[in-house]
Tab-separated table of all heavy atoms in Angstrom:
chain	number	residue	atom	x	y	z
W	65	ILE	N	4.936	30.477	13.665
W	65	ILE	CA	5.962	31.256	14.322
W	65	ILE	C	7.185	30.377	14.570
W	65	ILE	O	7.075	29.229	15.007
W	65	ILE	CB	5.413	31.736	15.710
W	65	ILE	CG1	4.263	32.806	15.390
W	65	ILE	CG2	6.465	32.375	16.601
W	65	ILE	CD1	3.408	33.083	16.579
W	68	LYS	N	7.096	32.737	9.546
W	68	LYS	CA	6.143	33.236	8.636
W	68	LYS	C	6.662	34.346	7.679
W	68	LYS	O	6.226	34.440	6.558
W	68	LYS	CB	4.898	33.822	9.319
W	68	LYS	CG	3.972	32.786	9.966
W	68	LYS	CD	2.803	33.493	10.636
W	68	LYS	CE	1.725	32.513	11.030
W	68	LYS	NZ	0.492	33.151	11.349
W	105	ASP	N	-4.955	33.464	6.750
W	105	ASP	CA	-5.537	33.999	8.018
W	105	ASP	C	-6.697	35.003	7.800
W	105	ASP	O	-7.693	34.910	8.474
W	105	ASP	CB	-4.408	34.813	8.741
W	105	ASP	CG	-3.734	33.966	9.831
W	105	ASP	OD1	-4.354	32.993	10.306
W	105	ASP	OD2	-2.632	34.288	10.259
W	129	LEU	N	-7.816	45.816	17.679
W	129	LEU	CA	-6.947	45.970	18.872
W	129	LEU	C	-5.706	45.114	18.670
W	129	LEU	O	-5.846	43.933	18.506
W	129	LEU	CB	-7.755	45.597	20.130
W	129	LEU	CG	-9.034	46.430	20.341
W	129	LEU	CD1	-9.922	45.670	21.325
W	129	LEU	CD2	-8.690	47.784	20.798
W	130	GLY	N	-4.580	45.765	18.739
W	130	GLY	CA	-3.297	45.029	18.448
W	130	GLY	C	-2.742	45.467	17.047
W	130	GLY	O	-3.487	45.988	16.273
W	131	ALA	N	-1.486	45.216	16.908
W	131	ALA	CA	-0.808	45.656	15.695
W	131	ALA	C	0.281	44.740	15.262
W	131	ALA	O	1.227	45.105	14.571
W	131	ALA	CB	-0.291	47.101	15.761
W	132	GLY	N	0.211	43.426	15.655
W	132	GLY	CA	1.194	42.409	15.270
W	132	GLY	C	0.751	41.723	13.958
W	132	GLY	O	0.032	42.313	13.175
W	133	GLY	N	1.173	40.469	13.829
W	133	GLY	CA	0.959	39.765	12.637
W	133	GLY	C	-0.456	39.490	12.343
W	133	GLY	O	-0.997	39.630	11.183
W	134	ALA	N	-1.252	39.080	13.376
W	134	ALA	CA	-2.687	38.766	13.215
W	134	ALA	C	-3.421	40.067	12.855
W	134	ALA	O	-4.311	40.057	11.978
W	134	ALA	CB	-3.274	38.164	14.446
W	135	ALA	N	-3.034	41.180	13.490
W	135	ALA	CA	-3.724	42.445	13.231
W	135	ALA	C	-3.482	42.875	11.761
W	135	ALA	O	-4.451	43.369	11.100
W	135	ALA	CB	-3.125	43.536	14.171
W	136	ARG	N	-2.283	42.621	11.253
W	136	ARG	CA	-1.986	43.041	9.856
W	136	ARG	C	-2.916	42.252	8.885
W	136	ARG	O	-3.524	42.849	7.933
W	136	ARG	CB	-0.524	42.888	9.527
W	136	ARG	CG	-0.192	43.280	8.175
W	136	ARG	CD	1.270	43.624	8.013
W	136	ARG	NE	1.680	43.589	6.616
W	136	ARG	CZ	2.875	43.975	6.186
W	136	ARG	NH1	3.741	44.396	7.054
W	136	ARG	NH2	3.138	43.948	4.914
W	153	ARG	N	-5.744	50.307	17.323
W	153	ARG	CA	-5.246	50.684	18.657
W	153	ARG	C	-4.286	49.606	19.209
W	153	ARG	O	-4.620	48.412	19.105
W	153	ARG	CB	-6.375	50.879	19.631
W	153	ARG	CG	-7.301	52.074	19.208
W	153	ARG	CD	-6.556	53.378	19.167
W	153	ARG	NE	-7.448	54.485	19.089
W	153	ARG	CZ	-7.836	55.269	20.123
W	153	ARG	NH1	-7.324	55.024	21.356
W	153	ARG	NH2	-8.588	56.247	19.967
W	154	ASN	N	-3.145	50.025	19.717
W	154	ASN	CA	-2.141	49.093	20.196
W	154	ASN	C	-1.381	49.668	21.365
W	154	ASN	O	-1.246	50.892	21.549
W	154	ASN	CB	-1.132	48.774	19.045
W	154	ASN	CG	-0.285	47.601	19.412
W	154	ASN	OD1	-0.774	46.566	19.919
W	154	ASN	ND2	1.003	47.692	19.101
W	155	ARG	N	-0.923	48.771	22.278
W	155	ARG	CA	-0.178	49.160	23.441
W	155	ARG	C	0.987	50.027	22.980
W	155	ARG	O	1.270	51.096	23.507
W	155	ARG	CB	0.301	47.918	24.152
W	155	ARG	CG	1.171	48.116	25.333
W	155	ARG	CD	1.530	46.890	26.005
W	155	ARG	NE	2.374	45.958	25.186
W	155	ARG	CZ	2.784	44.802	25.598
W	155	ARG	NH1	2.515	44.384	26.804
W	155	ARG	NH2	3.527	44.056	24.774
W	156	THR	N	1.738	49.578	21.924
W	156	THR	CA	2.821	50.421	21.334
W	156	THR	C	2.124	51.205	20.215
W	156	THR	O	1.968	50.673	19.110
W	156	THR	CB	3.921	49.520	20.821
W	156	THR	OG1	4.347	48.595	21.841
W	156	THR	CG2	5.148	50.310	20.415
W	157	ALA	N	1.815	52.492	20.485
W	157	ALA	CA	1.024	53.257	19.468
W	157	ALA	C	1.734	53.390	18.164
W	157	ALA	O	1.094	53.447	17.076
W	157	ALA	CB	0.665	54.584	20.121
W	159	LYS	N	3.403	51.301	16.496
W	159	LYS	CA	3.202	50.109	15.619
W	159	LYS	C	1.771	50.235	14.970
W	159	LYS	O	1.602	49.863	13.813
W	159	LYS	CB	3.284	48.819	16.388
W	159	LYS	CG	4.780	48.430	16.561
W	159	LYS	CD	4.975	47.250	17.443
W	159	LYS	CE	4.439	45.911	16.961
W	159	LYS	NZ	4.636	44.774	17.989
W	181	LEU	N	-3.888	52.504	23.699
W	181	LEU	CA	-5.005	51.820	24.264
W	181	LEU	C	-5.875	52.698	25.158
W	181	LEU	O	-6.810	52.243	25.757
W	181	LEU	CB	-4.574	50.585	24.966
W	181	LEU	CG	-3.976	49.471	24.141
W	181	LEU	CD1	-3.472	48.282	25.026
W	181	LEU	CD2	-4.913	49.008	23.082
W	196	ASN	N	-10.202	41.645	18.444
W	196	ASN	CA	-9.031	41.628	19.364
W	196	ASN	C	-7.963	40.751	18.737
W	196	ASN	O	-8.207	39.571	18.495
W	196	ASN	CB	-9.400	41.049	20.713
W	196	ASN	CG	-8.143	40.878	21.520
W	196	ASN	OD1	-7.291	41.830	21.588
W	196	ASN	ND2	-8.030	39.709	22.213
W	197	THR	N	-6.818	41.295	18.490
W	197	THR	CA	-5.688	40.493	18.046
W	197	THR	C	-4.515	40.533	19.006
W	197	THR	O	-3.400	40.162	18.659
W	197	THR	CB	-5.175	40.948	16.636
W	197	THR	OG1	-4.592	42.208	16.729
W	197	THR	CG2	-6.299	40.941	15.603
W	198	THR	N	-4.798	41.120	20.234
W	198	THR	CA	-3.747	41.111	21.240
W	198	THR	C	-3.847	39.737	21.976
W	198	THR	O	-4.801	39.004	21.759
W	198	THR	CB	-3.906	42.161	22.272
W	198	THR	OG1	-4.926	41.835	23.192
W	198	THR	CG2	-4.193	43.573	21.662
W	199	SER	N	-2.823	39.469	22.787
W	199	SER	CA	-2.908	38.192	23.529
W	199	SER	C	-3.638	38.310	24.827
W	199	SER	O	-3.694	37.385	25.635
W	199	SER	CB	-1.470	37.641	23.712
W	199	SER	OG	-0.689	38.752	24.130
W	200	GLN	N	-4.238	39.454	25.086
W	200	GLN	CA	-5.066	39.607	26.306
W	200	GLN	C	-6.206	38.634	26.255
W	200	GLN	O	-6.901	38.548	25.280
W	200	GLN	CB	-5.579	41.040	26.367
W	200	GLN	CG	-4.577	42.131	26.640
W	200	GLN	CD	-3.935	42.040	28.031
W	200	GLN	OE1	-3.120	41.089	28.320
W	200	GLN	NE2	-4.271	42.935	28.943
W	202	MET	N	-5.712	35.344	26.975
W	202	MET	CA	-5.174	34.028	26.689
W	202	MET	C	-4.859	33.226	27.980
W	202	MET	O	-4.312	33.764	28.928
W	202	MET	CB	-3.958	34.118	25.811
W	202	MET	CG	-3.521	32.862	25.128
W	202	MET	SD	-2.474	33.231	23.722
W	202	MET	CE	-0.937	33.456	24.572
W	208	ARG	N	-3.626	37.617	32.807
W	208	ARG	CA	-3.873	37.823	31.323
W	208	ARG	C	-5.220	37.245	30.942
W	208	ARG	O	-6.008	37.791	30.174
W	208	ARG	CB	-2.701	37.216	30.582
W	208	ARG	CG	-2.754	37.505	29.087
W	208	ARG	CD	-1.620	36.820	28.357
W	208	ARG	NE	-1.638	35.379	28.471
W	208	ARG	CZ	-0.671	34.508	28.184
W	208	ARG	NH1	0.493	35.002	27.783
W	208	ARG	NH2	-0.820	33.224	28.365
W	213	PRO	N	-9.383	43.171	26.377
W	213	PRO	CA	-8.557	44.261	25.802
W	213	PRO	C	-9.295	45.623	25.684
W	213	PRO	O	-8.711	46.566	25.404
W	213	PRO	CB	-8.238	43.729	24.421
W	213	PRO	CG	-9.395	42.829	24.104
W	213	PRO	CD	-9.790	42.202	25.386
W	227	ASP	N	-12.595	37.554	18.399
W	227	ASP	CA	-11.362	37.412	19.185
W	227	ASP	C	-10.396	36.516	18.449
W	227	ASP	O	-10.807	35.439	17.932
W	227	ASP	CB	-11.637	36.864	20.593
W	227	ASP	CG	-10.585	37.289	21.609
W	227	ASP	OD1	-9.497	37.620	21.157
W	227	ASP	OD2	-10.921	37.363	22.797
W	228	ALA	N	-9.116	36.845	18.367
W	228	ALA	CA	-8.092	35.910	17.802
W	228	ALA	C	-7.733	34.853	18.818
W	228	ALA	O	-7.433	33.713	18.466
W	228	ALA	CB	-6.858	36.747	17.458
W	229	VAL	N	-7.815	35.161	20.132
W	229	VAL	CA	-7.466	34.226	21.190
W	229	VAL	C	-8.417	33.082	21.109
W	229	VAL	O	-9.674	33.271	21.028
W	229	VAL	CB	-7.511	34.907	22.565
W	229	VAL	CG1	-7.199	33.919	23.682
W	229	VAL	CG2	-6.453	36.020	22.589
W	230	TYR	N	-7.911	31.813	21.148
W	230	TYR	CA	-8.784	30.666	21.020
W	230	TYR	C	-8.730	29.761	22.277
W	230	TYR	O	-9.473	28.803	22.345
W	230	TYR	CB	-8.535	29.875	19.796
W	230	TYR	CG	-7.056	29.509	19.547
W	230	TYR	CD1	-6.536	28.413	20.204
W	230	TYR	CD2	-6.204	30.310	18.730
W	230	TYR	CE1	-5.171	28.075	20.038
W	230	TYR	CE2	-4.894	29.955	18.626
W	230	TYR	CZ	-4.380	28.885	19.212
W	230	TYR	OH	-3.055	28.564	19.130
W	250	ARG	N	-15.868	33.464	17.832
W	250	ARG	CA	-14.708	32.873	18.604
W	250	ARG	C	-13.425	32.702	17.767
W	250	ARG	O	-13.525	32.446	16.548
W	250	ARG	CB	-15.147	31.451	19.028
W	250	ARG	CG	-16.018	31.404	20.269
W	250	ARG	CD	-16.502	29.959	20.384
W	250	ARG	NE	-16.876	29.612	21.740
W	250	ARG	CZ	-17.085	28.382	22.111
W	250	ARG	NH1	-17.052	27.394	21.226
W	250	ARG	NH2	-17.454	28.132	23.390
W	251	GLY	N	-12.343	32.770	18.510
W	251	GLY	CA	-10.982	32.536	17.863
W	251	GLY	C	-10.865	31.089	17.382
W	251	GLY	O	-10.112	30.806	16.412
W	252	THR	N	-11.600	30.125	17.975
W	252	THR	CA	-11.516	28.753	17.568
W	252	THR	C	-12.034	28.667	16.078
W	252	THR	O	-11.511	27.848	15.298
W	252	THR	CB	-12.330	27.886	18.446
W	252	THR	OG1	-13.628	28.467	18.648
W	252	THR	CG2	-11.651	27.520	19.749
W	253	GLY	N	-13.087	29.407	15.749
W	253	GLY	CA	-13.536	29.386	14.415
W	253	GLY	C	-12.587	29.952	13.370
W	253	GLY	O	-12.391	29.454	12.318
W	254	TRP	N	-11.936	31.049	13.805
W	254	TRP	CA	-10.877	31.612	12.941
W	254	TRP	C	-9.796	30.548	12.682
W	254	TRP	O	-9.390	30.349	11.511
W	254	TRP	CB	-10.266	32.822	13.705
W	254	TRP	CG	-9.179	33.571	13.059
W	254	TRP	CD1	-8.416	33.199	11.939
W	254	TRP	CD2	-8.664	34.792	13.435
W	254	TRP	NE1	-7.519	34.142	11.678
W	254	TRP	CE2	-7.619	35.210	12.602
W	254	TRP	CE3	-9.061	35.754	14.534
W	254	TRP	CZ2	-6.918	36.359	12.741
W	254	TRP	CZ3	-8.302	36.879	14.617
W	254	TRP	CH2	-7.316	37.215	13.748
W	255	LEU	N	-9.379	29.823	13.802
W	255	LEU	CA	-8.347	28.794	13.652
W	255	LEU	C	-8.748	27.697	12.645
W	255	LEU	O	-8.016	27.303	11.743
W	255	LEU	CB	-8.027	28.233	15.002
W	255	LEU	CG	-6.841	27.275	15.124
W	255	LEU	CD1	-5.543	27.957	14.729
W	255	LEU	CD2	-6.748	26.737	16.536
W	256	VAL	N	-10.009	27.213	12.836
W	256	VAL	CA	-10.493	26.130	11.954
W	256	VAL	C	-10.611	26.611	10.535
W	256	VAL	O	-10.202	25.936	9.611
W	256	VAL	CB	-11.847	25.567	12.462
W	256	VAL	CG1	-12.469	24.669	11.481
W	256	VAL	CG2	-11.636	24.812	13.810
W	258	GLN	N	-9.136	29.140	8.964
W	258	GLN	CA	-7.862	29.408	8.198
W	258	GLN	C	-7.287	28.067	7.804
W	258	GLN	O	-6.731	27.904	6.728
W	258	GLN	CB	-6.895	30.352	8.937
W	258	GLN	CG	-6.375	29.900	10.265
W	258	GLN	CD	-5.290	28.866	10.282
W	258	GLN	OE1	-4.515	28.865	9.356
W	258	GLN	NE2	-5.270	28.015	11.254
E	301	NAP	P1	2.291	39.311	17.723
E	301	NAP	O1	2.688	39.657	16.325
E	301	NAP	O2	3.324	38.904	18.738
E	301	NAP	O3	1.460	40.552	18.331
E	301	NAP	C1	0.955	40.539	19.697
E	301	NAP	C2	0.071	41.723	19.892
E	301	NAP	O4	-0.497	41.691	21.244
E	301	NAP	C3	0.807	43.078	19.809
E	301	NAP	O5	-0.081	44.027	19.277
E	301	NAP	C4	1.152	43.423	21.297
E	301	NAP	O6	1.272	44.783	21.533
E	301	NAP	C5	-0.130	42.885	21.974
E	301	NAP	N1	0.094	42.595	23.364
E	301	NAP	C6	0.857	41.674	23.929
E	301	NAP	N2	0.757	41.722	25.255
E	301	NAP	C7	-0.129	42.695	25.574
E	301	NAP	C8	-0.643	43.275	26.788
E	301	NAP	N3	-0.281	42.781	27.975
E	301	NAP	N4	-1.513	44.273	26.641
E	301	NAP	C9	-1.921	44.801	25.521
E	301	NAP	N5	-1.419	44.290	24.291
E	301	NAP	C10	-0.548	43.287	24.321
E	301	NAP	O7	1.278	38.126	17.703
E	301	NAP	P2	0.159	37.701	16.599
E	301	NAP	O8	0.741	36.726	15.680
E	301	NAP	O9	-0.377	39.005	16.078
E	301	NAP	O10	-0.945	36.932	17.508
E	301	NAP	C11	-1.742	37.645	18.466
E	301	NAP	C12	-2.751	36.701	19.084
E	301	NAP	O11	-3.598	36.253	18.047
E	301	NAP	C13	-2.120	35.489	19.713
E	301	NAP	O12	-2.918	35.178	20.857
E	301	NAP	C14	-2.378	34.336	18.691
E	301	NAP	O13	-2.492	33.074	19.240
E	301	NAP	C15	-3.710	34.846	18.089
E	301	NAP	N6	-3.944	34.348	16.727
E	301	NAP	C16	-5.073	33.530	16.558
E	301	NAP	C17	-5.351	33.069	15.277
E	301	NAP	C18	-6.566	32.147	15.100
E	301	NAP	O14	-6.603	31.462	14.140
E	301	NAP	N7	-7.521	32.211	16.021
E	301	NAP	C19	-4.633	33.504	14.161
E	301	NAP	C20	-3.554	34.337	14.395
E	301	NAP	C21	-3.240	34.759	15.673
E	301	NAP	P3	2.709	45.474	21.411
E	301	NAP	O15	2.950	45.791	19.941
E	301	NAP	O16	2.613	46.726	22.245
E	301	NAP	O17	3.754	44.540	21.932
Side-chain angles (χ1 to χ4, degrees):
I65 292 167
K68 287 181 169 195
D105 262 340
L129 301 164
R136 182 158 161 172
R153 295 298 192 100
N154 191 44
R155 181 176 62 178
T156 311
K159 279 172 68 181
L181 294 179
N196 173 45
T197 69
T198 77
S199 43
Q200 292 291 73
M202 196 160 82
R208 186 182 63 194
D227 209 334
V229 174
Y230 52 82
R250 280 171 156 191
T252 44
W254 178 349
L255 188 62
V256 169
Q258 60 79 29

